[in-house]
Amino acid sequence: MLGSRAVRRARSSLAIALALVVVPFLAQRRAGAQAGAKPTPSGSAAPSASVAPSASVSPSGSVTPEPEPEPPPAPEACPPVEGGSKLGVRYELESVRIRGNKRTLSRVILRHVPFRPGDEIDVEDQRLELTRYRLLGTGYFSHVEISLSKGPRRGVVILNIDVVERNTIVINDLWMGLSADASAEGKSRPLTAYGGVDFAENNFLGTGIALGGALAVADRQSAYRIRFVDPSFLGSKWIVGTTLLYNDGRDFFGTRDVRYEPPPGETETTDYAVLKYRRFGGEIALGYDLSTSVRFRGAFHLEGIDAEIPRAASHRRGLDIEPIDFHLLPNRSYLTFFSVELDHDTRDDPFLPTLGRHVEVGADFGVPTLASDYTFLRLQVHGSFWFPLGRGHVLRLDGFLGSAFGDAPFFMRFFVGDLSEFLPDRVLDLNFDRRPSPSLLRTNVVEMRYEELAARALAEYRIPLYRGTRSIYGIDLYGSAGFFVLGSRRDVTDPARGYSGFARVPIDLNFNLGVRISTNVGGFTLSLANSIGFLPIRTGATP
């Protein structure tokens, strides 16, 4: 009895010990299993039970969802939306939250945001990316970040827009250089200097209204502009702007052996025929944002022109002596025309973009029924495309096509200096230089100045040298190469005598080397190509 009772007591003690060890262990396993398979409550969930995934836009602009500890139930796939992904996860937009704007009014920022409370939004919607680019393109901000965060209830998100404001009193353009011009009698002169500046307050009192002006000066030439742009006229989506202009200019016509009937006391043979003129007028423009990246613009332009045309002027074209066409009426004339333009812009930065595209398609047409003395049509297409190559290197491909019909005034035709990297561009429609294209390919492009047909193709490679966040945002070294074509329809049907074969094609090479600098007061470009244009490497047909 004692032995069996001892055995039974031993067995009971062992069973109790096992229970003390195993039961808590099993309870712990069961609790863990229940925590890992938490059932979804029926009906509406509490705010803490529904977590919408947040998403942030990285500096490169891509929208990256960030994981949350409690992901929401997967919604059904939705049909595509304009600018969004074909199949994606949509949530209802509760509100738009703007942070960091100390000067810029929130309504000015919201004007560029295509989303409103109550809209369905996809975390992969490309319009999030384009909105960031659009806000950067306004010039109001040096940094923009867009993110989505969870809302107060299940399936609802908040759109966060965080901005860092920049100085909005900026220099849009700064021109300085040397040019080769001519005296009032048409004689070539030594080099002279020219300069100009275009400046603006792009965000007047935080309203987004732009007030700006520009001026350019050279020897016996000057030009002035005053601008006003309201990007949200009377609180609407319409963009209204106006510009006043005044030009007191001189231009140089003729290629070789220039002759014209001189005033008393002057010689007859000159190097160039000098055209003196004055312009005064302005335009009213109206624009509208068709989408996040596409804008329409229309304008009406009116001005009066006073011109002193040299009489009986002629020059040598190829082997023949021909009269000079100044493409302007003598004495007083009037110019009126309409302009329309479509602008598609997806750049990630307005001055040093690393990806995206910028395409402009425009047309200008003179209207004789509105007291215009010039009837013409001018068509232009310009496109630039940027491709990131890694380590901050960027490739840009640029192309331009233009054609003019009718009797467009000379300052609305395609000018050799605007196409060639070796000559100064026109500044506020003023030309400071008398030189033709260098003609590196030895073609009849030396005969071309203000023409009807133009084309250009260019490739540019950019290497970053510096990146900052204060006064200087970036400095890039760039090199470019390409070609351009400039001529008239007559050069196709009746080319100048004295040229043969490939030399009858008015084409020339382009290349450049310089630096681009982005600062808090604007962007600047310093280049070397203009100095090459002073080398005596051009040629022309000789008898």
Side-chain angles (χ1 to χ4, degrees):
M1 294 288 295
L2 289 176
S4 60
R5 187 176 300 169
V7 171
R8 285 196 299 268
R9 288 180 180 176
R11 289 176 179 175
S12 299
S13 300
L14 179 61
I16 293 172
L18 290 174
L20 292 175
V21 174
V22 173
V23 172
F25 175 77
L26 293 177
Q28 184 178 1
R29 290 287 303 272
R30 184 179 179 182
Q34 289 177 347
K38 188 175 183 178
T40 303
S42 59
S44 59
S48 61
S50 175
V51 183
S54 67
S56 63
V57 177
S58 64
S60 63
S62 61
V63 182
T64 306
E66 298 176 357
E68 295 287 346
E70 296 183 7
E76 297 179 358
C78 302
V81 294
E82 179 185 358
S85 59
K86 294 182 178 180
L87 292 177
V89 177
R90 287 187 181 180
Y91 298 94
E92 180 184 347
L93 181 60
E94 168 72 16
S95 62
V96 179
R97 183 163 51 198
I98 300 173
R99 297 175 295 202
N101 55 320
K102 299 178 181 178
R103 296 187 302 270
T104 308
L105 300 178
S106 294
R107 63 176 175 83
V108 175
I109 298 175
L110 287 174
R111 182 187 175 278
H112 302 282
V113 180
F115 306 103
R116 293 294 180 266
D119 291 349
E120 287 187 333
I121 190 169
D122 185 342
V123 297
E124 299 294 338
D125 197 324
Q126 294 179 1
R127 289 176 297 173
L128 292 169
E129 192 175 23
L130 293 176
T131 298
R132 176 177 178 270
Y133 297 162
R134 184 64 180 273
L135 289 172
L136 286 170
T138 63
Y140 307 157
F141 313 108
S142 61
H143 180 76
V144 176
E145 182 178 342
I146 295 179
S147 63
L148 296 175
S149 61
K150 63 182 180 180
R153 63 184 185 277
R154 185 180 182 184
V156 169
V157 293
I158 297 173
L159 177 63
N160 303 301
I161 301 177
D162 295 278
V163 299
V164 177
E165 293 179 316
R166 64 179 295 174
N167 176 37
T168 55
I169 301 178
V170 299
I171 298 176
N172 297 316
D173 267 311
L174 182 65
W175 305 282
M176 292 184 294
L178 297 175
S179 62
D181 60 3
S183 65
E185 296 76 26
K187 295 295 185 181
S188 299
R189 301 193 312 162
L191 302 182
T192 58
Y194 67 89
V197 62
D198 185 320
F199 56 92
E201 164 55 280
N202 288 326
N203 193 11
F204 181 68
L205 298 179
T207 62
I209 291 176
L211 301 175
L215 62 91
V217 292
D219 183 48
R220 286 173 286 182
Q221 294 197 75
S222 61
Y224 307 91
R225 299 288 188 274
I226 299 176
R227 297 187 307 273
F228 166 85
V229 178
D230 185 351
S232 183
F233 183 64
L234 297 178
S236 69
K237 294 184 178 181
W238 290 95
I239 307 164
V240 174
T242 183
T243 302
L244 294 178
L245 70 88
Y246 176 78
N247 277 30
D248 184 1
R250 302 162 60 244
D251 217 309
F252 319 100
F253 287 78
T255 54
R256 289 161 290 129
D257 301 334
V258 176
R259 295 174 178 269
Y260 65 91
E261 182 179 341
E266 292 186 7
T267 59
E268 180 182 0
T269 302
T270 64
D271 298 319
Y272 299 91
V274 179
L275 167 66
K276 302 177 183 179
Y277 66 95
R278 289 186 177 89
R279 301 169 54 199
F280 177 75
E283 73 173 22
I284 298 176
L286 190 66
Y288 192 83
D289 289 333
L290 300 178
S291 71
T292 309
S293 60
V294 179
R295 173 178 295 180
F296 168 81
R297 180 182 182 273
F300 174 72
H301 186 100
L302 169 65
E303 67 176 84
I305 306 171
D306 290 297
E308 299 178 24
I309 306 293
R311 295 177 293 176
S314 65
H315 69 140
R316 185 180 298 279
R317 177 179 178 264
L319 300 180
D320 302 318
I321 301 295
E322 296 183 350
I324 296 176
D325 189 349
F326 294 94
H327 305 296
L328 209 61
L329 297 176
N331 304 319
R332 171 59 65 91
S333 61
Y334 294 93
L335 169 66
T336 63
F337 63 90
F338 286 100
S339 296
V340 292
E341 181 183 77
L342 277 178
D343 185 294
H344 175 58
D345 191 353
T346 63
R347 293 174 295 174
D348 63 343
D349 185 86
F351 188 72
L352 292 177
T354 60
L355 57 86
R357 56 189 176 273
H358 188 200
V359 180
E360 299 170 289
V361 180
D364 308 291
F365 44 96
V367 185
T369 57
L370 294 178
S372 179
D373 294 311
Y374 304 88
T375 304
F376 65 93
L377 171 65
R378 182 178 68 171
L379 305 174
Q380 300 179 88
V381 179
H382 182 206
S384 293
F385 304 83
W386 289 266
F387 305 92
L389 301 179
R391 303 183 66 180
H393 293 213
V394 179
L395 172 67
R396 176 173 74 98
L397 300 180
D398 183 271
F400 173 81
L401 287 174
S403 180
F405 307 84
D407 56 346
F410 77 90
F411 48 81
M412 294 199 68
R413 292 172 177 258
F414 305 109
F415 176 57
V416 62
D418 295 338
L419 299 170
S420 174
E421 299 284 344
F422 307 122
L423 301 174
D425 298 347
R426 285 180 288 188
V427 178
L428 304 182
D429 293 336
L430 287 182
N431 168 46
F432 304 125
D433 206 279
R434 56 175 167 75
R435 293 172 292 161
S437 175
S439 188
L440 300 177
L441 298 179
R442 306 285 179 169
T443 68
N444 65 348
V445 73
V446 294
E447 311 281 355
M448 310 304 164
R449 191 163 184 82
Y450 291 102
E451 307 300 337
E452 303 170 314
L453 305 173
R456 185 178 68 175
L458 195 71
E460 178 185 284
Y461 194 91
R462 219 173 67 225
I463 302 173
L465 300 180
Y466 172 79
R467 288 295 182 268
T469 58
R470 292 195 173 185
S471 299
I472 298 178
Y473 300 135
I475 301 176
D476 283 9
L477 174 69
Y478 78 92
S480 63
F483 66 91
F484 74 90
V485 179
L486 178 67
S488 65
R489 291 173 179 81
R490 181 187 176 192
D491 295 306
V492 178
T493 60
D494 182 24
R497 291 193 315 119
Y499 299 94
S500 60
F502 180 75
R504 299 173 67 178
V505 180
I507 186 173
D508 206 359
L509 296 177
N510 257 338
F511 54 85
N512 205 346
L513 181 67
V515 294
R516 301 192 192 278
I517 307 173
S518 178
T519 75
N520 63 352
V521 295
F524 305 93
T525 300
L526 305 176
S527 63
L528 302 176
N530 183 244
S531 59
I532 298 178
F534 293 108
L535 300 177
I537 55 179
R538 62 187 63 87
T539 185
T542 56

